[in-house]
Amino acid sequence: MQAWKHAHQRVQEHERSSIHRESAEAFFLRVNKADIHTLLTDKQMTVHRDQVRKRRQVLERVIDVVKVIGKCGLSYRGHIHEATNDLENTAINHGNFLELILLLSKYDVCLQEHVSDCIEKKKKQGRTKGRGSMVTLMSKTTVNKVVELIRNMIQQTIAVEVRKAGMFSIQIDTTQDLTSKDQCAVVLRYVTDVVHEKLIAVIDCESSTGQYFVELVKQTLEKMDIDIKKCIGNATDGAANMQGQYKGFSALLTGASPNQVHIWCYSHVLNLVLADTTGVVVASESLFSLLNDIAVFIRDSYKRMKLWEENSEDKRHRRLGVIGETRWWAKDEALRKVFGRFAKPDNALYTDLVITMEKIKKDVTMKPLIRNKAQGYKASLLKYETILTAEIFLRIFEQTTPLSKYLQTSGMDIASAQHLVTGTEESLRKCARDFQGVMRAADDFVEWANSILEKLEES
């Protein structure tokens, strides 16, 4: 149209044209959702959107359950009965994850519909192995993916903080799990507004050489986009593969991070010395073996445990502690439970133990072997040598245990630690030659125990 004076005429011609009528008809059909494309696909799209929305809601609940289980440090899976066709059987144990899902489904309509739908589809599919094409969002694969994503998010958060801090130190140590696999824990220590110690990885070890651990650390830090050259220190135990002068972890790590300084864990050093001290002398080894054997002896039988509970006046300390090999403070804890504190036997369970052993020995319903063991334990407890040795180590632990616990704290202050180390050394030097004080404490303990036992015999 070139002349606007004919605009009205041209508009009327266009409105009467077939192109305009077809376009207008298509527009109104589209508005009213009556066109062919909408009629064919609209219902499918609506169903698809509803399915996506429901599955997102289910996945949100699955993620929350995984987070709760991880927070509580529980296992996710059970031994058996994890298949979908077993979910409707509430009498069997499905494992922590599925049990929590089933519990929530009782009060959550969305989750209840999803679980019921999965059970019905599995029935139609039959009892074949595997889930086939069915997506349940409750399988081990889903849980593993959620755990992996959470791990990545935590690592990314730690990596941002480490890069912001500008420098960090690294700690590594290995231990065996229940399947005898050696696993290495990698911990970063850095400072922002506070001191942080963050576990960033637990990795199955394929070797135990210093070179292998250096490569393991490099790969872990590269995945987190952390520059290993910003490492200013490492802390390990005293194993040869860690402290070796030429092929040790610390020596090889210096090549990747020249400014790093190796620091042997001084809490580990202290407790290794104490462990060796308690085992190098026959009297001390006998004392702690006696305490451990008595604890195991009482706990191995409900009848003996019942006698112990009946005779133990201190209700808070009924259970005797077993001395483990890895718990450094276990010897101090077990010793204090039985003999109290140095020169302060008021809260000791010593007399309760002696009385319990005497009652076990006189109990004719017990096996002769058990009664004989009880008699032997009682005789060992009543020896003056046992009490004297206990008082010696109570005095040592009185000085070393606070230091050991402080050296294991994450927010440890270096100046305070040094002051505490110096004070502990001075205290140990002062009491090193004070054998008379130990004897007085042992004699007082004997008088205290005799007075209680005599009163019980008179009553």
Side-chain angles (χ1 to χ4, degrees):
M1 185 177 67
Q2 298 178 354
W4 285 98
K5 64 181 180 179
H6 301 296
H8 182 70
Q9 182 180 353
R10 296 294 177 266
V11 168
Q12 288 182 344
E13 292 175 357
H14 175 74
E15 288 178 346
R16 290 194 295 268
S17 66
S18 59
I19 295 176
H20 176 76
R21 290 197 302 271
E22 291 175 358
S23 299
E25 184 179 357
F27 170 75
F28 287 116
L29 287 173
R30 177 66 177 174
V31 171
N32 296 323
K33 294 184 178 181
D35 60 307
I36 295 176
H37 181 269
T38 302
L39 292 174
L40 290 175
T41 64
D42 187 60
K43 186 176 181 180
Q44 295 178 352
M45 295 298 294
T46 302
V47 172
H48 178 264
R49 284 193 296 269
D50 289 341
Q51 290 178 346
V52 171
R53 177 179 56 80
K54 288 181 179 179
R55 290 191 174 182
R56 283 180 176 175
Q57 291 176 347
V58 171
L59 189 57
E60 287 178 358
R61 288 150 179 79
V62 168
I63 293 173
D64 288 339
V65 170
V66 171
K67 289 165 64 177
V68 168
I69 293 176
K71 182 180 179 181
C72 297
L74 303 174
S75 59
Y76 287 88
R77 303 183 62 190
H79 298 292
I80 52 177
H81 306 303
E82 290 188 316
T84 309
N85 47 24
D86 292 330
L87 290 180
E88 60 182 345
N89 187 353
T90 58
I92 57 180
N93 181 13
H94 302 89
N96 291 327
F97 172 73
L98 289 178
E99 287 295 338
L100 285 175
I101 291 292
L102 293 175
L103 176 62
L104 291 177
S105 66
K106 293 181 179 180
Y107 310 99
D108 189 288
V109 177
C110 175
L111 200 56
Q112 186 178 35
E113 291 177 353
H114 178 74
V115 172
S116 301
D117 186 49
C118 289
I119 293 174
E120 292 300 321
K121 287 182 178 179
K122 186 61 180 179
K123 287 181 179 178
K124 293 179 181 179
Q125 182 181 344
R127 299 188 65 88
T128 57
K129 292 184 178 180
R131 58 180 174 83
S133 60
M134 185 172 63
V135 179
T136 65
L137 299 177
M138 297 183 292
S139 65
K140 63 180 180 62
T141 304
T142 301
V143 172
N144 291 340
K145 287 182 178 179
V146 172
V147 172
E148 183 71 14
L149 290 171
I150 293 174
R151 179 184 69 84
N152 292 335
M153 294 174 66
I154 293 174
Q155 285 185 332
Q156 290 173 8
T157 302
I158 295 173
V160 170
E161 292 182 347
V162 171
R163 288 194 292 269
K164 184 178 179 181
M167 61 183 70
F168 63 93
S169 63
I170 192 165
Q171 304 171 27
I172 65 170
D173 198 7
T174 61
T175 187
Q176 287 188 345
D177 60 11
L178 293 176
T179 61
S180 298
K181 287 184 178 179
D182 205 27
Q183 295 188 328
C184 179
V186 183
V187 177
L188 294 187
R189 183 181 174 95
Y190 56 95
V191 181
T192 54
D193 53 336
V194 294
V195 179
H196 298 275
E197 278 190 1
K198 301 291 187 179
L199 175 68
I200 61 170
V202 178
I203 306 170
D204 290 341
C205 295
E206 299 176 358
S207 176
S208 59
T209 63
Q211 182 64 46
Y212 173 78
F213 286 116
V214 170
E215 294 300 326
L216 183 147
V217 168
K218 283 183 179 180
Q219 293 174 8
T220 303
L221 295 180
E222 284 176 3
K223 290 179 182 179
M224 296 177 62
D225 193 22
I226 298 176
D227 187 3
I228 194 172
K229 292 183 179 179
K230 299 295 180 64
C231 177
I232 60 171
N234 76 86
T236 63
D237 59 16
N241 60 341
M242 296 295 172
Q243 292 218 129
Q245 185 177 357
Y246 300 105
K247 294 184 179 181
F249 168 77
S250 180
L252 295 173
L253 185 62
T254 303
S257 180
N259 296 325
Q260 69 90 26
V261 177
H262 173 68
I263 301 174
W264 192 3
C265 176
Y266 285 99
S267 176
H268 195 185
V269 174
L270 172 63
N271 289 287
L272 286 176
V273 170
L274 293 175
D276 291 341
T277 303
T278 57
V280 73
V281 181
V282 175
S284 60
E285 180 64 28
S286 300
L287 169 65
F288 292 107
S289 296
L290 175 65
L291 296 178
N292 186 65
D293 292 344
I294 289 176
V296 174
F297 175 74
I298 292 177
R299 293 170 62 171
D300 276 354
S301 168
Y302 76 93
K303 291 178 67 176
R304 298 195 288 271
M305 193 66 192
K306 185 178 180 181
L307 281 174
W308 165 246
E309 290 180 349
E310 290 174 353
N311 290 283
S312 176
E313 295 182 359
D314 192 343
K315 305 304 181 184
R316 298 173 301 170
H317 299 91
R318 282 179 176 174
R319 298 186 67 84
L320 296 173
V322 177
I323 300 175
E325 294 182 1
T326 57
R327 292 195 306 148
W328 295 324
W329 62 90
K331 291 183 178 180
D332 179 32
E333 183 179 358
L335 194 63
R336 281 190 289 108
K337 276 190 176 182
V338 176
F339 292 93
R341 298 185 179 276
F342 177 71
K344 297 177 181 178
D346 298 335
N347 296 323
L349 300 176
Y350 177 84
T351 54
D352 299 335
L353 266 182
V354 173
I355 296 168
T356 302
M357 293 300 120
E358 178 66 19
K359 289 193 175 182
I360 293 174
K361 186 189 74 170
K362 292 181 177 180
D363 191 345
V364 295
T365 63
M366 300 273 188
K367 293 181 180 180
L369 177 62
I370 300 301
R371 296 168 63 190
N372 183 54
K373 281 187 177 182
Q375 183 178 4
Y377 291 144
K378 177 188 173 185
S380 298
L381 286 170
L382 293 175
K383 287 181 179 179
Y384 184 74
E385 179 186 2
T386 300
I387 298 172
L388 185 64
T389 307
E391 292 297 332
I392 291 174
F393 281 96
L394 283 174
R395 191 165 197 179
I396 294 173
F397 291 151
E398 187 179 48
Q399 308 297 329
T400 58
T401 297
L403 173 61
S404 175
K405 290 184 176 180
Y406 184 74
L407 290 176
Q408 296 177 55
T409 56
S410 59
M412 180 186 66
D413 180 71
I414 299 297
S416 299
Q418 178 62 34
H419 179 73
L420 195 56
V421 169
T422 304
T424 302
E425 289 180 351
E426 293 178 356
S427 299
L428 289 173
R429 287 194 187 98
K430 289 179 181 178
C431 65
R433 300 297 178 181
D434 186 22
F435 188 68
Q436 295 299 322
V438 176
M439 286 190 64
R440 285 194 299 272
D443 293 339
D444 292 342
F445 185 91
V446 171
E447 291 180 7
W448 169 82
N450 285 337
S451 63
I452 294 178
L453 294 174
E454 287 172 0
K455 288 179 182 178
L456 290 174
E457 287 179 0
E458 292 174 358
S459 61

